[in-house]
Amino acid sequence: MVAGAVRGAYRRDRRRLVELLRAGGIEDLAVLHAFDAVPRHLFVPEAVTHRAYEDVALPIGRDQTISRPAVHALHLSLAGLRGGENVLEVGTGSGYQTALLATLGARVFSIERIEALSALARARLTALGLGEVRLRVGDGSAGWPEEAPFDVILVGAAAPAVPEALREQMAPGGRMVVPVHTPSGQRLVLVRHVEEGWSQEIVDEARFVPLIGEGRP
Ligand code: SAH
């Protein structure tokens, strides 16, 4: 079985990465299990495969990068997925976080503006048997209105402010994790759709490629 064989490779490196994430404070067992299950080396260009299980961001072509595993782990922990959630991902990139989300049992809708990256991600996800994920090429800052509302929205590129269109597509009780530019640098913002409206909290510093889009904040 192809899927079984590719998962088998680099198994020990993957275990080491999971231990590193655990030592770094990631406690969500489902998230740690997803990192153990998804072969990150299949989501990076061959030239950097040997670094796939280090906690580093790596180039994926078209001036874009796959985030550090610790960053994906933080975003996924903040998402608090238990399976069955409707999730919107903005910035498919390599498709690695998309695969983690699918492994966590989410119904994933992922938007990427660069067609070539989306096509590569599609091929990788299909090879791993995660073909049920829905991918779209376009401006993710406008969201995916036909599939809204979303229990979780994860934005993988830094926005000038929390995109209004995305906020409006959050389900009641929903969460959005979005890096936002501020005068003192990028900050990771957790938005919650609460009864009275929206709450917003800065949870960390951030360092992302810019969100490029038409959507006005
Ligand atoms: N989580 C991804 C990280 C990708 S980097 C991974 O695991 O690989 C961020 C991605 O967001 C890039 O691929 C970039 O092309 C994409 N992006 C930037 N602005 C976008 C927009 N407005 N809509 C959709 N994708 C966007």
Side-chain angles (χ1 to χ4, degrees):
M1 231 176 66
V2 175
V6 292
R7 283 205 166 90
Y10 291 94
R11 177 156 282 279
R12 242 178 305 159
D13 305 73
R14 219 151 37 237
R15 283 277 147 82
R16 218 174 303 131
L17 174 61
V18 169
E19 285 317 313
L20 195 78
L21 295 173
R22 200 198 297 272
I26 300 298
E27 292 173 354
D28 189 320
L29 291 181
V31 170
L32 292 170
H33 172 263
F35 276 90
D36 197 30
V38 179
R40 190 169 185 259
H41 66 280
L42 299 183
F43 289 85
V44 298
E46 230 170 272
V48 292
T49 297
H50 62 289
R51 303 199 64 192
Y53 294 99
E54 294 175 27
D55 190 21
V56 291
L58 294 168
I60 55 170
R62 310 290 175 123
D63 281 337
Q64 306 302 323
T65 52
I66 179 174
S67 303
R68 276 176 60 198
V71 168
H72 279 147
L74 172 64
H75 289 209
L76 292 168
S77 298
L78 291 169
L81 297 165
R82 287 294 161 261
E85 293 89 352
N86 226 28
V87 177
L88 176 68
E89 179 186 49
V90 176
T92 315
S94 66
Y96 178 60
Q97 181 177 258
T98 325
L100 293 168
L101 285 165
T103 302
L104 282 161
R107 271 186 86 215
V108 191
F109 300 86
S110 184
I111 310 177
E112 168 59 51
R113 54 180 276 273
I114 301 175
E115 190 163 7
L117 292 181
S118 182
L120 254 178
R122 157 62 60 219
R124 291 164 174 150
L125 292 164
T126 303
L128 289 173
L130 301 172
E132 74 280 8
V133 163
R134 303 265 307 274
L135 302 184
R136 172 185 267 189
V137 175
D139 177 10
S141 59
W144 194 321
E146 307 90 302
E147 299 294 345
F150 297 100
D151 303 300
V152 168
I153 300 179
L154 297 182
V155 184
V162 174
E164 190 64 35
L166 297 185
R167 221 168 55 162
E168 279 163 10
Q169 290 175 35
M170 292 171 72
R175 295 164 166 228
M176 167 159 57
V177 181
V178 52
V180 172
H181 289 286
T182 75
S184 46
Q186 288 183 24
R187 295 289 182 272
L188 189 66
V189 176
L190 174 64
V191 184
R192 284 196 180 87
H193 189 172
V194 292
E195 246 172 72
E196 318 79 66
W198 288 273
S199 76
Q200 224 167 279
E201 164 193 357
I202 290 175
V203 287
D204 204 353
E205 302 199 338
R207 228 176 124 210
F208 281 84
V209 296
L211 183 80
I212 297 167
E214 302 301 321
R216 293 281 162 270

Tab-separated table of all heavy atoms in Angstrom, residues 115-149:
chain	number	residue	atom	x	y	z
A	115	GLU	N	-2.043	28.998	-8.172
A	115	GLU	CA	-2.604	27.761	-8.727
A	115	GLU	C	-1.628	26.585	-8.661
A	115	GLU	O	-2.020	25.455	-8.318
A	115	GLU	CB	-3.036	28.011	-10.176
A	115	GLU	CG	-3.836	26.864	-10.737
A	115	GLU	CD	-4.616	27.238	-11.987
A	115	GLU	OE1	-4.424	28.362	-12.493
A	115	GLU	OE2	-5.402	26.400	-12.435
A	116	ALA	N	-0.349	26.846	-8.970
A	116	ALA	CA	0.641	25.754	-9.003
A	116	ALA	C	0.792	25.110	-7.619
A	116	ALA	O	0.938	23.884	-7.508
A	116	ALA	CB	1.981	26.286	-9.491
A	117	LEU	N	0.747	25.935	-6.570
A	117	LEU	CA	0.868	25.390	-5.208
A	117	LEU	C	-0.361	24.563	-4.858
A	117	LEU	O	-0.262	23.483	-4.261
A	117	LEU	CB	1.054	26.523	-4.185
A	117	LEU	CG	2.376	27.295	-4.260
A	117	LEU	CD1	2.420	28.366	-3.165
A	117	LEU	CD2	3.576	26.364	-4.133
A	118	SER	N	-1.521	25.054	-5.251
A	118	SER	CA	-2.761	24.335	-4.975
A	118	SER	C	-2.763	22.975	-5.674
A	118	SER	O	-3.167	21.955	-5.095
A	118	SER	CB	-3.956	25.177	-5.426
A	118	SER	OG	-5.155	24.524	-5.117
A	119	ALA	N	-2.277	22.950	-6.925
A	119	ALA	CA	-2.251	21.695	-7.687
A	119	ALA	C	-1.309	20.682	-7.033
A	119	ALA	O	-1.621	19.489	-6.936
A	119	ALA	CB	-1.827	21.983	-9.125
A	120	LEU	N	-0.161	21.179	-6.570
A	120	LEU	CA	0.791	20.286	-5.893
A	120	LEU	C	0.194	19.739	-4.593
A	120	LEU	O	0.317	18.548	-4.279
A	120	LEU	CB	2.059	21.077	-5.535
A	120	LEU	CG	3.306	20.832	-6.367
A	120	LEU	CD1	4.415	21.759	-5.872
A	120	LEU	CD2	3.761	19.381	-6.271
A	121	ALA	N	-0.454	20.631	-3.862
A	121	ALA	CA	-1.084	20.223	-2.602
A	121	ALA	C	-2.150	19.156	-2.876
A	121	ALA	O	-2.242	18.154	-2.168
A	121	ALA	CB	-1.707	21.426	-1.900
A	122	ARG	N	-2.919	19.383	-3.927
A	122	ARG	CA	-3.973	18.433	-4.302
A	122	ARG	C	-3.374	17.037	-4.543
A	122	ARG	O	-3.876	16.030	-4.049
A	122	ARG	CB	-4.710	18.956	-5.538
A	122	ARG	CG	-5.437	17.967	-6.394
A	122	ARG	CD	-6.571	17.241	-5.683
A	122	ARG	NE	-7.600	18.139	-5.187
A	122	ARG	CZ	-8.227	17.986	-4.003
A	122	ARG	NH1	-7.926	16.979	-3.200
A	122	ARG	NH2	-9.151	18.824	-3.617
A	123	ALA	N	-2.271	16.993	-5.311
A	123	ALA	CA	-1.640	15.708	-5.633
A	123	ALA	C	-1.151	15.007	-4.362
A	123	ALA	O	-1.330	13.802	-4.185
A	123	ALA	CB	-0.477	15.940	-6.596
A	124	ARG	N	-0.550	15.773	-3.455
A	124	ARG	CA	-0.030	15.179	-2.209
A	124	ARG	C	-1.162	14.637	-1.342
A	124	ARG	O	-1.072	13.540	-0.784
A	124	ARG	CB	0.739	16.242	-1.417
A	124	ARG	CG	2.020	16.668	-2.072
A	124	ARG	CD	2.487	17.973	-1.443
A	124	ARG	NE	3.798	18.368	-1.940
A	124	ARG	CZ	4.206	19.625	-2.043
A	124	ARG	NH1	3.396	20.615	-1.673
A	124	ARG	NH2	5.396	19.907	-2.494
A	125	LEU	N	-2.223	15.419	-1.221
A	125	LEU	CA	-3.346	15.009	-0.363
A	125	LEU	C	-4.015	13.753	-0.931
A	125	LEU	O	-4.350	12.827	-0.186
A	125	LEU	CB	-4.353	16.156	-0.230
A	125	LEU	CG	-3.828	17.370	0.552
A	125	LEU	CD1	-4.711	18.589	0.316
A	125	LEU	CD2	-3.754	17.061	2.045
A	126	THR	N	-4.155	13.712	-2.240
A	126	THR	CA	-4.782	12.551	-2.875
A	126	THR	C	-3.918	11.302	-2.667
A	126	THR	O	-4.428	10.231	-2.333
A	126	THR	CB	-4.994	12.823	-4.380
A	126	THR	OG1	-5.783	14.012	-4.508
A	126	THR	CG2	-5.715	11.674	-5.070
A	127	ALA	N	-2.596	11.467	-2.818
A	127	ALA	CA	-1.688	10.323	-2.638
A	127	ALA	C	-1.775	9.763	-1.222
A	127	ALA	O	-1.560	8.572	-1.003
A	127	ALA	CB	-0.254	10.748	-2.954
A	128	LEU	N	-2.100	10.620	-0.265
A	128	LEU	CA	-2.189	10.179	1.134
A	128	LEU	C	-3.596	9.708	1.499
A	128	LEU	O	-3.876	9.418	2.665
A	128	LEU	CB	-1.767	11.315	2.077
A	128	LEU	CG	-0.274	11.648	2.060
A	128	LEU	CD1	-0.003	12.888	2.895
A	128	LEU	CD2	0.534	10.466	2.600
A	129	GLY	N	-4.480	9.677	0.517
A	129	GLY	CA	-5.843	9.220	0.798
A	129	GLY	C	-6.692	10.291	1.479
A	129	GLY	O	-7.693	9.994	2.121
A	130	LEU	N	-6.268	11.566	1.338
A	130	LEU	CA	-7.016	12.666	1.967
A	130	LEU	C	-7.727	13.497	0.896
A	130	LEU	O	-7.883	14.710	1.011
A	130	LEU	CB	-6.074	13.552	2.793
A	130	LEU	CG	-5.319	12.832	3.917
A	130	LEU	CD1	-4.274	13.747	4.544
A	130	LEU	CD2	-6.286	12.335	4.986
A	131	GLY	N	-8.155	12.823	-0.148
A	131	GLY	CA	-8.728	13.497	-1.311
A	131	GLY	C	-10.071	14.159	-1.076
A	131	GLY	O	-10.563	14.900	-1.925
A	132	GLU	N	-10.673	13.928	0.075
A	132	GLU	CA	-11.992	14.535	0.327
A	132	GLU	C	-11.899	16.016	0.707
A	132	GLU	O	-12.910	16.717	0.742
A	132	GLU	CB	-12.769	13.749	1.404
A	132	GLU	CG	-12.287	13.920	2.820
A	132	GLU	CD	-11.065	13.080	3.165
A	132	GLU	OE1	-10.461	12.459	2.264
A	132	GLU	OE2	-10.685	13.035	4.337
A	133	VAL	N	-10.675	16.484	0.967
A	133	VAL	CA	-10.467	17.901	1.263
A	133	VAL	C	-10.858	18.740	0.056
A	133	VAL	O	-10.585	18.368	-1.072
A	133	VAL	CB	-8.969	18.121	1.590
A	133	VAL	CG1	-8.587	19.565	1.503
A	133	VAL	CG2	-8.632	17.543	2.963
A	134	ARG	N	-11.514	19.876	0.285
A	134	ARG	CA	-11.923	20.730	-0.839
A	134	ARG	C	-10.937	21.890	-0.985
A	134	ARG	O	-10.704	22.631	-0.029
A	134	ARG	CB	-13.335	21.266	-0.592
A	134	ARG	CG	-14.370	20.167	-0.367
A	134	ARG	CD	-15.094	19.816	-1.641
A	134	ARG	NE	-15.669	20.989	-2.271
A	134	ARG	CZ	-16.869	21.482	-1.962
A	134	ARG	NH1	-17.596	20.927	-1.017
A	134	ARG	NH2	-17.328	22.536	-2.602
A	135	LEU	N	-10.346	22.013	-2.170
A	135	LEU	CA	-9.384	23.082	-2.437
A	135	LEU	C	-9.950	24.026	-3.489
A	135	LEU	O	-10.667	23.597	-4.388
A	135	LEU	CB	-8.060	22.506	-2.957
A	135	LEU	CG	-7.313	21.494	-2.089
A	135	LEU	CD1	-5.991	21.125	-2.740
A	135	LEU	CD2	-7.083	22.020	-0.684
A	136	ARG	N	-9.586	25.287	-3.340
A	136	ARG	CA	-10.043	26.277	-4.314
A	136	ARG	C	-8.895	27.262	-4.566
A	136	ARG	O	-8.131	27.575	-3.654
A	136	ARG	CB	-11.238	27.024	-3.728
A	136	ARG	CG	-11.701	28.193	-4.515
A	136	ARG	CD	-12.798	28.944	-3.790
A	136	ARG	NE	-14.116	28.485	-4.192
A	136	ARG	CZ	-15.249	29.088	-3.850
A	136	ARG	NH1	-15.235	30.160	-3.079
A	136	ARG	NH2	-16.403	28.632	-4.263
A	137	VAL	N	-8.795	27.729	-5.811
A	137	VAL	CA	-7.786	28.741	-6.142
A	137	VAL	C	-8.481	30.095	-6.141
A	137	VAL	O	-9.508	30.269	-6.800
A	137	VAL	CB	-7.152	28.468	-7.526
A	137	VAL	CG1	-6.187	29.586	-7.913
A	137	VAL	CG2	-6.434	27.122	-7.524
A	138	GLY	N	-7.943	31.038	-5.389
A	138	GLY	CA	-8.554	32.368	-5.362
A	138	GLY	C	-8.088	33.167	-4.163
A	138	GLY	O	-7.129	32.799	-3.490
A	139	ASP	N	-8.785	34.282	-3.925
A	139	ASP	CA	-8.444	35.172	-2.820
A	139	ASP	C	-9.165	34.729	-1.549
A	139	ASP	O	-10.370	34.925	-1.399
A	139	ASP	CB	-8.840	36.608	-3.189
A	139	ASP	CG	-8.579	37.583	-2.054
A	139	ASP	OD1	-7.929	37.186	-1.064
A	139	ASP	OD2	-9.028	38.738	-2.161
A	140	GLY	N	-8.403	34.143	-0.646
A	140	GLY	CA	-8.987	33.605	0.586
A	140	GLY	C	-9.487	34.664	1.540
A	140	GLY	O	-10.248	34.351	2.463
A	141	SER	N	-9.068	35.918	1.361
A	141	SER	CA	-9.534	36.942	2.302
A	141	SER	C	-11.032	37.213	2.117
A	141	SER	O	-11.660	37.829	2.973
A	141	SER	CB	-8.719	38.232	2.169
A	141	SER	OG	-8.814	38.742	0.858
A	142	ALA	N	-11.595	36.735	1.016
A	142	ALA	CA	-13.046	36.857	0.813
A	142	ALA	C	-13.783	35.652	1.394
A	142	ALA	O	-15.012	35.608	1.407
A	142	ALA	CB	-13.345	36.987	-0.678
A	143	GLY	N	-13.038	34.657	1.861
A	143	GLY	CA	-13.655	33.464	2.444
A	143	GLY	C	-14.272	32.559	1.394
A	143	GLY	O	-13.925	32.632	0.199
A	144	TRP	N	-15.194	31.710	1.857
A	144	TRP	CA	-15.858	30.733	0.970
A	144	TRP	C	-17.334	30.736	1.382
A	144	TRP	O	-17.793	29.841	2.099
A	144	TRP	CB	-15.208	29.358	1.201
A	144	TRP	CG	-15.497	28.297	0.196
A	144	TRP	CD1	-16.662	28.040	-0.442
A	144	TRP	CD2	-14.560	27.304	-0.284
A	144	TRP	NE1	-16.520	26.962	-1.279
A	144	TRP	CE2	-15.248	26.490	-1.202
A	144	TRP	CE3	-13.211	27.024	-0.005
A	144	TRP	CZ2	-14.645	25.411	-1.846
A	144	TRP	CZ3	-12.615	25.953	-0.643
A	144	TRP	CH2	-13.319	25.165	-1.554
A	145	PRO	N	-18.064	31.808	0.965
A	145	PRO	CA	-19.414	32.049	1.494
A	145	PRO	C	-20.364	30.862	1.342
A	145	PRO	O	-21.180	30.608	2.217
A	145	PRO	CB	-19.908	33.246	0.672
A	145	PRO	CG	-18.717	33.826	0.021
A	145	PRO	CD	-17.652	32.808	-0.035
A	146	GLU	N	-20.233	30.122	0.235
A	146	GLU	CA	-21.164	29.000	-0.011
A	146	GLU	C	-21.045	27.920	1.044
A	146	GLU	O	-21.981	27.142	1.238
A	146	GLU	CB	-20.907	28.357	-1.382
A	146	GLU	CG	-20.899	29.281	-2.560
A	146	GLU	CD	-19.495	29.833	-2.843
A	146	GLU	OE1	-18.927	30.471	-1.923
A	146	GLU	OE2	-18.987	29.637	-3.957
A	147	GLU	N	-19.899	27.812	1.699
A	147	GLU	CA	-19.692	26.753	2.692
A	147	GLU	C	-19.721	27.281	4.126
A	147	GLU	O	-19.525	26.533	5.071
A	147	GLU	CB	-18.368	26.018	2.430
A	147	GLU	CG	-18.299	25.338	1.065
A	147	GLU	CD	-19.289	24.186	0.917
A	147	GLU	OE1	-19.840	23.718	1.934
A	147	GLU	OE2	-19.512	23.753	-0.232
A	148	ALA	N	-19.922	28.581	4.292
A	148	ALA	CA	-19.972	29.185	5.628
A	148	ALA	C	-21.284	28.773	6.309
A	148	ALA	O	-22.237	28.398	5.605
A	148	ALA	CB	-19.873	30.695	5.495
A	149	PRO	N	-21.403	28.804	7.626
A	149	PRO	CA	-20.397	29.304	8.552
A	149	PRO	C	-19.351	28.235	8.923
A	149	PRO	O	-19.600	27.045	8.810
A	149	PRO	CB	-21.224	29.682	9.778
A	149	PRO	CG	-22.363	28.709	9.780
A	149	PRO	CD	-22.655	28.454	8.313
